[in-house]
Amino acid sequence: EERAKQHTALHEELQRRSAMHDARHQELQDLVARGHAARAQHDAPRAPPADAVSEERAERIRHDSLVERVDSLQRTVNIFDSVIRKEIDERTNEYTRIWDAIDNHTHDLSAQVITERFLPSDGPCARREGPQWSVPAPGPWRPSMEPSAPMPSSPLR
């Protein structure tokens, strides 16, 4: 009977340890399975989420639209710049022509008369009784025609 008791106690202890061993074995298998799943997930190529892709496309479209608008504005600025430069050149030439006309139109008696030897010997200008050509003396002061200087108002407008 003593022996039967020891045998029963030993058998119960063996079953308890076997159950504990099976539980630990199951825990280890679960850990190994989670480790394999994590490694597979880590090694797999990652595709960005659909929301991130659509957000990136929308951002690219906004960027392209902004670049097109900036390019269009740059072209417009270049066109206006060329128009303004042309207008400045035309006005500068016109003001120079006006000032040359004012400088050449003089009532000053100190103007030098060009002698007849400078006139052509034949043709319509060969008449000796025609008007004499004159070169004015140094004229009055003229304002600068530099584009940075303020332009005088035109007397012709």
Side-chain angles (χ1 to χ4, degrees):
E1 189 176 311
E2 173 89 24
R3 198 173 167 159
K5 275 183 174 182
Q6 283 180 347
H7 184 349
T8 306
L10 193 59
H11 185 45
E12 288 174 2
E13 180 68 23
L14 185 60
Q15 284 182 344
R16 187 179 59 80
R17 288 193 179 201
S18 178
M20 194 167 32
H21 174 72
D22 289 343
R24 294 254 172 136
H25 182 71
Q26 187 62 39
E27 283 180 28
L28 287 175
Q29 283 185 343
D30 290 342
L31 279 173
V32 168
R34 282 190 296 195
H36 286 295
R39 176 171 283 189
Q41 184 180 5
H42 179 70
D43 291 344
R46 296 181 191 183
D51 292 340
V53 171
S54 62
E55 187 176 312
E56 176 67 26
R57 283 187 189 141
E59 182 67 28
R60 187 174 296 141
I61 290 170
R62 284 193 299 268
H63 180 266
D64 291 345
S65 173
L66 182 64
V67 166
E68 287 174 10
R69 282 190 274 169
V70 167
D71 289 343
S72 174
L73 288 174
Q74 185 66 40
R75 284 190 299 271
T76 303
V77 165
N78 288 338
I79 290 170
F80 276 114
D81 183 55
S82 66
V83 168
I84 289 171
R85 286 182 189 278
K86 185 177 178 183
E87 181 71 21
I88 287 171
D89 289 343
E90 289 174 0
R91 286 187 182 196
T92 301
N93 291 337
E94 185 175 334
Y95 289 131
T96 302
R97 187 183 60 78
I98 290 170
W99 279 107
D100 286 343
I102 290 171
D103 285 347
N104 289 332
H105 180 81
T106 182
H107 295 281
D108 190 4
L109 296 177
S110 67
Q112 300 174 357
V113 175
I114 298 178
T115 60
E116 293 179 4
R117 64 187 162 108
F118 291 105
L119 296 173
S121 60
D122 58 342
C125 294
R127 296 181 307 166
R128 305 277 184 233
E129 61 274 352
Q132 299 292 317
W133 294 45
S134 64
V135 175
W141 174 83
R142 283 176 35 177
S144 172
M145 287 290 119
E146 293 296 321
S148 62
M151 294 287 189
S153 62
S154 174
L156 302 176
R157 291 186 188 191

